[in-house]
Amino acid sequence: MALLRCEHLSLGYDGNLIIGDLNFLVEAGDYLCVVGENGSGKSTLMKTVLGLLLPLSGQIVMGEGLTQKQIGYLPQQTGVQKDFPASVWEIVLSGCQGGCGLRPFYNRSEKEKAASAMERLHIRNLSGSCYRELSGGQQQRVLLARALCATETLLFLDEPVTGLDPKAAADFYQMIEELNQEDKITVIMISHDMQAALCHASHILHIGEPLFFGTRQEYLESDAGRIFAVKGGAPG
């Protein structure tokens, strides 16, 4: 069974249709990039998958015991969030909140999970640092570690390299690829960076006209892929 399957999904706000009859699936181990023009509905899809919006019609089916609370989510950062006055340890550990229920404290297992995520992303030395004093690349590592505390299965990333310099962006993409290939974590990434999408993704979901879902190679061979890849400056 697929990890995530969207069947005849229609999305929008207040009854206004943005995307209609969307069908795609994500298997365990996939690296799916969601691309499309601004305003095409990428964020609407993200909010619907995360349970923040209800679909107008159709359904989202999750397999392998996955629930929306078990999706590790890394949102786009706002200016206020970048200036958040908390320690790195506090922010990473907060990723375990979904498993706490009514318990008002973190247990030993959750603290070990946070420490392991920080070690995995090479930020253990930043544990006591103030988040707002970090560089953009370091902040994204912290937020990624926080997302890892919520999941061992599926990461959902929304434009994760926005505002990063080229080196920090390249380092971040390398980390995501390692988590996908070595740790076997499934990745869904909304991205405007077509070049990176075509370098790293196993599958592409192109939202817009025409709608497309398939492997990276199938996308490159499609009319939509050839046009959009050229606009994005990607090889192909």
Side-chain angles (χ1 to χ4, degrees):
M1 183 178 182
L3 194 62
L4 175 72
R5 183 187 298 272
C6 292
E7 300 176 342
H8 304 292
L9 204 60
S10 293
L11 310 175
Y13 292 93
D14 302 321
N16 296 315
L17 181 68
I18 296 177
I19 307 171
D21 199 28
L22 178 61
N23 295 276
F24 71 94
L25 59 85
V26 180
E27 301 279 4
D30 282 354
Y31 187 151
L32 173 68
C33 271
V34 183
V35 300
E37 302 284 1
N38 290 336
S40 60
K42 300 188 298 295
S43 294
T44 303
L45 173 62
M46 172 196 69
K47 292 175 183 177
T48 305
V49 170
L50 293 172
L52 304 176
L53 289 175
L54 293 175
L56 301 181
S57 62
Q59 62 178 343
I60 298 172
V61 181
M62 296 187 181
E64 299 188 21
L66 182 69
T67 68
Q68 288 162 328
K69 288 185 178 181
Q70 294 169 323
I71 297 175
Y73 173 47
L74 196 162
Q76 288 192 59
Q77 280 206 89
T78 66
V80 172
Q81 290 168 332
K82 290 180 180 180
D83 200 38
F84 194 65
S87 73
V88 167
W89 173 248
E90 289 170 329
I91 289 177
V92 174
L93 189 57
S94 70
C96 298
Q97 282 182 347
C100 288
L102 298 177
R103 175 166 37 87
F105 59 88
Y106 298 106
N107 62 29
R108 179 177 178 179
S109 175
E110 289 157 350
K111 291 176 181 178
E112 288 175 349
K113 181 182 291 186
S116 177
M118 293 176 68
E119 191 73 36
R120 179 68 182 84
L121 299 181
H122 311 295
I123 55 171
R124 191 70 182 270
N125 62 312
L126 299 176
S127 179
S129 299
C130 183
Y131 177 76
R132 65 182 177 187
E133 295 175 358
L134 303 180
S135 68
Q138 289 172 327
Q139 287 188 343
Q140 285 301 83
R141 286 178 183 244
V142 172
L143 295 181
L144 182 56
R146 181 183 186 276
L148 286 175
C149 286
T151 190
E152 296 178 355
T153 307
L154 176 61
L155 282 172
F156 204 145
L157 316 174
D158 186 8
E159 302 281 10
V161 302
T162 299
L164 300 186
D165 63 57
K167 184 182 184 307
D171 288 345
F172 188 88
Y173 282 130
Q174 180 63 36
M175 284 189 296
I176 295 301
E177 185 162 348
E178 289 174 1
L179 290 170
N180 177 248
Q181 296 295 321
E182 298 175 12
D183 297 69
K184 308 304 180 185
I185 295 177
T186 305
V187 175
I188 303 176
M189 180 186 294
I190 293 176
S191 179
H192 67 277
D193 187 344
M194 180 54 68
Q195 185 171 6
L198 295 177
C199 283
H200 300 289
S202 63
H203 294 74
I204 301 289
L205 173 61
H206 180 184
I207 297 178
E209 292 295 338
L211 200 62
F212 175 90
F213 170 70
T215 66
R216 174 177 56 191
Q217 189 59 39
E218 289 169 344
Y219 182 67
L220 285 171
E221 294 170 356
S222 71
D223 290 340
R226 282 192 290 268
I227 294 170
F228 205 71
V230 170
K231 289 172 67 176

